PDB file of all heavy atoms in Angstrom:
ATOM      1  N   VAL A 328      11.525  27.225 -28.914  1.00 93.00           N
ATOM      2  CA  VAL A 328      12.444  26.175 -29.360  1.00 93.00           C
ATOM      3  C   VAL A 328      13.037  25.473 -28.137  1.00 93.00           C
ATOM      4  O   VAL A 328      13.135  24.231 -28.076  1.00 93.00           O
ATOM      5  CB  VAL A 328      13.572  26.770 -30.241  1.00 93.00           C
ATOM      6  CG1 VAL A 328      14.706  25.758 -30.465  1.00 93.00           C
ATOM      7  CG2 VAL A 328      13.007  27.198 -31.585  1.00 93.00           C
ATOM      8  N   GLU A 357      15.663  35.486 -39.065  1.00 75.00           N
ATOM      9  CA  GLU A 357      16.764  34.737 -38.507  1.00 75.00           C
ATOM     10  C   GLU A 357      16.254  33.548 -37.678  1.00 75.00           C
ATOM     11  O   GLU A 357      15.325  33.673 -36.897  1.00 75.00           O
ATOM     12  CB  GLU A 357      17.595  35.648 -37.587  1.00 75.00           C
ATOM     13  CG  GLU A 357      18.810  35.010 -36.954  1.00 75.00           C
ATOM     14  CD  GLU A 357      19.528  35.930 -35.991  1.00 75.00           C
ATOM     15  OE1 GLU A 357      19.151  37.103 -35.895  1.00 75.00           O
ATOM     16  OE2 GLU A 357      20.453  35.459 -35.342  1.00 75.00           O
ATOM     17  N   GLY A 358      16.848  32.414 -37.905  1.00 72.00           N
ATOM     18  CA  GLY A 358      16.494  31.226 -37.113  1.00 72.00           C
ATOM     19  C   GLY A 358      15.583  30.263 -37.847  1.00 72.00           C
ATOM     20  O   GLY A 358      15.228  29.233 -37.284  1.00 72.00           O
ATOM     21  N   THR A 359      15.171  30.591 -39.096  1.00 78.00           N
ATOM     22  CA  THR A 359      14.256  29.684 -39.805  1.00 78.00           C
ATOM     23  C   THR A 359      14.912  28.316 -40.052  1.00 78.00           C
ATOM     24  O   THR A 359      14.257  27.274 -39.942  1.00 78.00           O
ATOM     25  CB  THR A 359      13.845  30.266 -41.152  1.00 78.00           C
ATOM     26  OG1 THR A 359      15.008  30.644 -41.893  1.00 78.00           O
ATOM     27  CG2 THR A 359      12.956  31.509 -40.911  1.00 78.00           C
ATOM     28  N   PHE A 360      16.190  28.319 -40.388  1.00 76.00           N
ATOM     29  CA  PHE A 360      16.886  27.053 -40.626  1.00 76.00           C
ATOM     30  C   PHE A 360      16.925  26.201 -39.367  1.00 76.00           C
ATOM     31  O   PHE A 360      16.619  24.996 -39.395  1.00 76.00           O
ATOM     32  CB  PHE A 360      18.299  27.298 -41.153  1.00 76.00           C
ATOM     33  CG  PHE A 360      19.076  26.022 -41.387  1.00 76.00           C
ATOM     34  CD1 PHE A 360      18.870  25.261 -42.539  1.00 76.00           C
ATOM     35  CD2 PHE A 360      20.013  25.588 -40.474  1.00 76.00           C
ATOM     36  CE1 PHE A 360      19.570  24.076 -42.755  1.00 76.00           C
ATOM     37  CE2 PHE A 360      20.715  24.400 -40.678  1.00 76.00           C
ATOM     38  CZ  PHE A 360      20.507  23.656 -41.824  1.00 76.00           C
ATOM     39  N   GLU A 361      17.263  26.819 -38.261  1.00 78.00           N
ATOM     40  CA  GLU A 361      17.350  26.107 -36.977  1.00 78.00           C
ATOM     41  C   GLU A 361      15.988  25.566 -36.565  1.00 78.00           C
ATOM     42  O   GLU A 361      15.876  24.524 -35.874  1.00 78.00           O
ATOM     43  CB  GLU A 361      17.937  26.976 -35.893  1.00 78.00           C
ATOM     44  CG  GLU A 361      19.397  27.342 -36.037  1.00 78.00           C
ATOM     45  CD  GLU A 361      19.642  28.461 -37.057  1.00 78.00           C
ATOM     46  OE1 GLU A 361      18.626  28.979 -37.629  1.00 78.00           O
ATOM     47  OE2 GLU A 361      20.816  28.813 -37.266  1.00 78.00           O
ATOM     48  N   PHE A 362      14.929  26.296 -36.981  1.00 87.00           N
ATOM     49  CA  PHE A 362      13.570  25.885 -36.557  1.00 87.00           C
ATOM     50  C   PHE A 362      13.124  24.601 -37.219  1.00 87.00           C
ATOM     51  O   PHE A 362      12.183  23.960 -36.789  1.00 87.00           O
ATOM     52  CB  PHE A 362      12.571  27.023 -36.832  1.00 87.00           C
ATOM     53  CG  PHE A 362      11.230  26.821 -36.182  1.00 87.00           C
ATOM     54  CD1 PHE A 362      11.069  27.138 -34.831  1.00 87.00           C
ATOM     55  CD2 PHE A 362      10.168  26.252 -36.857  1.00 87.00           C
ATOM     56  CE1 PHE A 362       9.853  26.933 -34.180  1.00 87.00           C
ATOM     57  CE2 PHE A 362       8.941  26.051 -36.268  1.00 87.00           C
ATOM     58  CZ  PHE A 362       8.796  26.402 -34.895  1.00 87.00           C
ATOM     59  N   GLU A 363      13.820  24.244 -38.316  1.00 88.00           N
ATOM     60  CA  GLU A 363      13.402  22.998 -38.996  1.00 88.00           C
ATOM     61  C   GLU A 363      13.498  21.782 -38.038  1.00 88.00           C
ATOM     62  O   GLU A 363      12.631  20.884 -38.154  1.00 88.00           O
ATOM     63  CB  GLU A 363      14.312  22.757 -40.223  1.00 88.00           C
ATOM     64  CG  GLU A 363      14.069  23.751 -41.366  1.00 88.00           C
ATOM     65  CD  GLU A 363      14.971  23.482 -42.567  1.00 88.00           C
ATOM     66  OE1 GLU A 363      15.666  22.426 -42.504  1.00 88.00           O
ATOM     67  OE2 GLU A 363      14.967  24.254 -43.488  1.00 88.00           O
ATOM     68  N   ARG A 364      14.458  21.774 -37.155  1.00 87.00           N
ATOM     69  CA  ARG A 364      14.543  20.683 -36.204  1.00 87.00           C
ATOM     70  C   ARG A 364      13.330  20.683 -35.242  1.00 87.00           C
ATOM     71  O   ARG A 364      12.766  19.637 -34.941  1.00 87.00           O
ATOM     72  CB  ARG A 364      15.844  20.775 -35.368  1.00 87.00           C
ATOM     73  CG  ARG A 364      16.046  19.586 -34.443  1.00 87.00           C
ATOM     74  CD  ARG A 364      17.235  19.730 -33.542  1.00 87.00           C
ATOM     75  NE  ARG A 364      17.028  20.808 -32.561  1.00 87.00           N
ATOM     76  CZ  ARG A 364      17.720  20.938 -31.450  1.00 87.00           C
ATOM     77  NH1 ARG A 364      18.712  20.091 -31.167  1.00 87.00           N
ATOM     78  NH2 ARG A 364      17.506  21.904 -30.608  1.00 87.00           N
ATOM     79  N   THR A 365      12.962  21.934 -34.829  1.00 91.00           N
ATOM     80  CA  THR A 365      11.792  22.031 -33.949  1.00 91.00           C
ATOM     81  C   THR A 365      10.528  21.545 -34.616  1.00 91.00           C
ATOM     82  O   THR A 365       9.704  20.837 -34.052  1.00 91.00           O
ATOM     83  CB  THR A 365      11.621  23.491 -33.483  1.00 91.00           C
ATOM     84  OG1 THR A 365      12.800  23.888 -32.779  1.00 91.00           O
ATOM     85  CG2 THR A 365      10.426  23.631 -32.546  1.00 91.00           C
ATOM     86  N   ALA A 366      10.378  21.939 -35.935  1.00 92.00           N
ATOM     87  CA  ALA A 366       9.195  21.478 -36.684  1.00 92.00           C
ATOM     88  C   ALA A 366       9.196  19.963 -36.773  1.00 92.00           C
ATOM     89  O   ALA A 366       8.130  19.341 -36.656  1.00 92.00           O
ATOM     90  CB  ALA A 366       9.197  22.129 -38.053  1.00 92.00           C
TER      91      ALA A 366
END
Side-chain angles (χ1 to χ4, degrees):
V328 168
E357 181 184 355
T359 53
F360 178 79
E361 290 81 359
F362 193 80
E363 289 181 7
R364 185 186 70 161
T365 300

